[in-house]
Amino acid sequence: DGGITQSPKYLFRKEGQNVTLSCEQNLNHDAMYWYRQDPGQGLRLIYYSQIVNDFQKGDIAEGYSVSREKKESFPLTVTSAQKNPTAFYLCASSLAANTGELFFGEGSRLTVL
Amino acid sequence: DAKTTQPNSMESNEEEPVHLPCNHSTISGTDYIHWYRQLPSQGPEYVIHGLTSNVNNRMASLAIAEDRKSSTLILHRATLRDAAVYYCILRSPLSSGSARQLTFGSGTQLTVLP
């Protein structure tokens, strides 16, 4: 089945540690996105990528990093510089940036202890 | 960037129609109106989208005002499984090689009463 897969679903980390969240899609989509969601809030854009080997900062990129070495993969690293990393992280993809339907993964819930 | 405004919450009785409003007074001519919904602890799922004309699919209908400054998502017969947060967002094709950034507001929390 075509879709978008995020892993892990739940992740715990200690303060000061970097952690990488995986996002893979087999929809042959060019554009991929990372969002952060805090309790009771909407989704805020962290980074997005329109095409392989290209990505741009979203509204809240500080403390995060991404790479887009393959079309199907867009991993997000939450670095120790991110002051409040505990959140629900959502990855999405679309055929092209800002056009077409967005397909979301099931999310990764990160808790910093 | 064009933004959307939605009520924080709405209630509906099961098996009755639900009309979820969205205001987007600064919409541009190339902005498509998209609706998504999110169940607790899940990623949002696409519901419907449109540009100018009203749209129907198996999940819902989208009514777009003639001036495009507002739209309404219509669930014809609400079920308990329709209880979710509904987001109205605008998506526009690439402009001058740079994509518009895409932010979801807080959406409307729909409660369906049995």
Side-chain angles (χ1 to χ4, degrees):
Chain A
D1 281 1
I4 184 163
T5 303
Q6 290 186 240
S7 63
K9 193 171 175 72
Y10 299 96
L11 187 61
F12 297 87
R13 79 153 212 223
K14 293 182 180 179
E15 277 191 27
Q17 291 179 334
N18 291 355
V19 61
T20 297
L21 307 179
S22 169
C23 178
E24 303 277 330
Q25 54 96 1
N26 60 3
L27 299 166
N28 201 32
H29 284 172
D30 280 325
M32 297 186 75
Y33 314 80
W34 273 107
Y35 289 91
R36 170 184 172 134
Q37 187 173 36
D38 293 290
Q41 305 295 312
L43 283 66
R44 291 184 291 169
L45 186 66
I46 304 173
Y47 269 99
Y48 64 99
S49 169
Q50 299 178 52
I51 201 165
V52 176
N53 293 322
D54 177 74
F55 51 83
Q56 283 88 39
K57 293 181 179 180
D59 299 321
I60 54 165
E62 185 175 349
Y64 300 98
S65 66
V66 293
S67 63
R68 187 84 188 277
E69 296 176 3
K70 298 186 296 183
K71 186 175 186 177
E72 59 269 23
S73 180
F74 191 41
L76 173 75
T77 297
V78 185
T79 74
S80 56
Q82 168 51 234
K83 299 200 185 312
N84 296 298
T86 295
F88 188 48
Y89 290 90
L90 287 157
C91 181
S93 70
S94 63
L95 198 58
N98 274 341
T99 60
E101 174 184 343
L102 283 167
F103 290 79
F104 282 86
E106 293 193 350
S108 293
R109 190 169 298 279
L110 172 64
T111 302
V112 174
L113 305 172
Chain B
D1 287 340
K3 295 193 185 301
T4 62
T5 305
Q6 299 175 254
N8 288 336
S9 62
M10 291 185 65
E11 276 188 1
S12 172
N13 293 320
E14 196 175 11
E15 298 190 5
E16 290 187 357
V18 182
H19 290 230
L20 297 165
C22 181
N23 288 322
H24 28 79
S25 59
T26 59
I27 191 170
S28 73
T30 58
D31 285 332
Y32 283 77
I33 301 156
H34 280 237
W35 283 83
Y36 292 80
R37 71 180 187 182
Q38 185 178 23
L39 299 171
S41 297
Q42 293 187 22
E45 67 171 337
Y46 168 82
V47 177
I48 200 167
H49 78 282
L51 183 62
T52 56
S53 304
N54 293 346
V55 184
N56 300 295
N57 66 20
R58 64 176 179 80
M59 291 180 71
S61 296
L62 175 61
I64 301 172
E66 197 168 335
D67 64 4
R68 298 208 330 123
K69 294 185 177 182
S70 65
S71 60
T72 302
L73 180 70
I74 302 166
L75 307 179
H76 295 286
R77 288 181 72 229
T79 70
L80 297 178
R81 288 177 295 179
D82 290 323
V85 177
Y86 286 78
Y87 297 99
C88 164
I89 63 172
L90 303 178
R91 283 173 66 68
S92 182
L94 291 176
S95 174
S96 302
S98 63
R100 294 256 195 103
Q101 296 188 3
L102 181 56
T103 298
F104 287 62
S106 298
T108 297
Q109 173 69 62
L110 175 65
T111 301
V112 180
L113 305 173

